[in-house]
Amino acid sequence: MKKQTVFIMSGLVPALLLVLAFTYYPFIRGIVIAFQDYKLFDLRNVHFIGFRNFTAAFQDPKFIAALQNSGYWVFFSLVFQFLIGLALALLLKRPFKGRGIYQGFIFYSWALSGFIIGMIWKWMFNSQIGVINDLLLRIGIIQERIGFLSEPKWAMFSVIAANVWYGIAFFAIMLLAALQSVPSELYEAADMDGASGPRKLWNVTLPYIMPTIIATTLLRAIWIFNDPTIIYGLTNGGPAGRTHILSSLMLDKIIYGGDYGAASAIGVIMIAILLLYTIFYLSVTKAEKAGDF
């Protein structure tokens, strides 16, 4: 038993060291930096300044705008990703000719990186040569080209639309797997009771896959909130910072300002927001009872 314990511990130690080095140490170090005046171009003058980075963040109009944009970004992206992903999962559950090909097309977007997707949609939204403007002109919806990424009133809508397209595949994959686990006996019993299609969806399908819905929406909301790659690929936070969310603003503080203290303070605020959101979400959805009929 002693030899087995030593062998097991010797196998766990390298993994534990990697987790400590690449997860917990950066996490703790980031929290410490949030309370410091830590600028890349003035490393000899690093010192603790208390909550000054946090107060400066909440007094910054760019931070307040990014905080509001983060709410729009997460809410609208999550709602449309889930609804369209659920609809596609319900369609793909039914057997039909060429279903595998359609699944490949739908799941394709999830294989790409967010930044590449941002660059693809940047060309599609281009006001001069973009395919979206061309299609809208051809079918008569618009009379002149729209600067989707350069006009403030369209910019946030455009990045959310690209993000919706990106995240549909995730929900389609996860919900399709959950739908395939629903016992056919439940639908047979519902048919015997004379339940219609929408009623079977509401009373049989959704309650059965509710644990998957709760887990996927929670995870996806966290990912959307933290991921600035599509915004960086599309607009880089522009025009005039109108599409910045907290994570992209945090990167801006590092890349263009070299202000690691301010960036870390935004990161700590993001952690606090996600922690509060997770506690609230799990308490409202009663996740521990999600699988009960």
Side-chain angles (χ1 to χ4, degrees):
M1 290 296 293
K2 244 183 182 181
K3 288 181 180 178
Q4 287 181 352
T5 304
V6 171
F7 176 75
I8 291 171
M9 292 304 297
S10 63
L12 290 175
V13 166
L16 180 61
L17 290 175
L18 286 173
V19 171
L20 289 173
F22 294 103
T23 302
Y24 292 106
Y25 173 74
F27 174 73
I28 295 170
R29 181 65 176 144
I31 293 175
V32 172
I33 293 175
F35 294 91
Q36 294 179 327
D37 183 5
Y38 194 112
K39 293 183 175 63
L40 182 63
F41 305 107
D42 193 15
L43 293 177
R44 293 183 178 181
N45 194 29
V46 174
H47 60 279
F48 282 93
I49 56 174
F51 290 91
R52 221 176 293 170
N53 285 324
F54 296 92
T55 55
F58 283 103
Q59 292 171 357
D60 185 1
K62 290 182 179 179
F63 174 84
I64 301 302
L67 184 61
Q68 293 174 341
N69 286 342
S70 296
Y72 301 140
W73 169 253
V74 173
F75 178 78
F76 289 108
S77 295
L78 187 66
V79 168
F80 286 106
Q81 285 178 10
F82 171 74
L83 292 177
I84 301 172
L86 176 61
L88 289 173
L90 290 169
L91 290 173
L92 292 173
K93 184 191 174 187
R94 301 179 178 182
F96 59 88
K97 191 174 182 179
R99 182 172 65 167
I101 297 174
Y102 284 103
Q103 286 179 343
F105 278 120
I106 291 171
F107 300 159
Y108 168 73
S109 64
W110 197 244
L112 300 175
S113 74
F115 185 79
I116 291 175
I117 288 172
M119 296 302 296
I120 292 171
W121 280 83
K122 186 174 185 177
W123 283 104
M124 293 172 63
F125 278 127
N126 188 281
S127 59
Q128 300 302 318
I129 59 174
V131 65
I132 293 177
N133 265 303
D134 187 58
L135 287 174
L136 294 176
L137 284 169
R138 286 176 183 272
I139 60 180
I141 293 179
I142 61 174
Q143 302 303 317
E144 57 182 20
R145 295 181 178 275
I146 298 173
F148 286 105
L149 303 179
S150 58
E151 296 182 18
K153 65 178 181 179
W154 289 105
M156 199 65 201
F157 162 82
S158 301
V159 295
I160 289 174
N163 195 41
V164 168
W165 180 83
Y166 175 46
I168 287 171
F170 171 77
F171 280 108
I173 294 168
M174 301 302 293
L175 296 179
L176 178 60
L179 288 171
Q180 290 172 338
S181 69
V182 180
S184 58
E185 293 83 0
L186 295 177
Y187 293 116
E188 292 170 3
D191 288 332
M192 292 177 64
D193 291 337
S196 61
R199 188 158 187 178
K200 283 190 286 187
L201 174 65
W202 188 257
N203 293 328
V204 177
T205 305
L206 291 180
Y208 196 90
I209 67 172
M210 190 55 67
T212 302
I213 292 175
I214 290 174
T216 51
T217 51
L218 175 62
L219 289 173
R220 190 70 190 122
I222 293 171
W223 293 343
I224 293 171
F225 185 77
N226 284 327
D227 187 12
T229 53
I230 288 180
I231 287 177
Y232 253 80
L234 268 169
T235 63
N236 199 21
R242 293 296 183 93
T243 58
H244 263 315
I245 58 174
L246 290 180
S247 56
S248 64
L249 181 65
M250 179 178 66
L251 287 178
D252 257 20
K253 295 286 185 183
I254 296 172
I255 296 172
Y256 299 109
D259 194 342
Y260 281 77
S264 297
I266 294 174
V268 171
I269 293 169
M270 290 173 63
I271 293 171
I273 291 171
L274 288 176
L275 182 62
L276 292 174
Y277 162 75
T278 303
I279 294 171
F280 173 77
Y281 182 84
L282 293 178
S283 62
V284 168
T285 56
K286 297 180 176 151
E288 71 279 0
K289 299 180 181 178
D292 297 339
F293 287 92

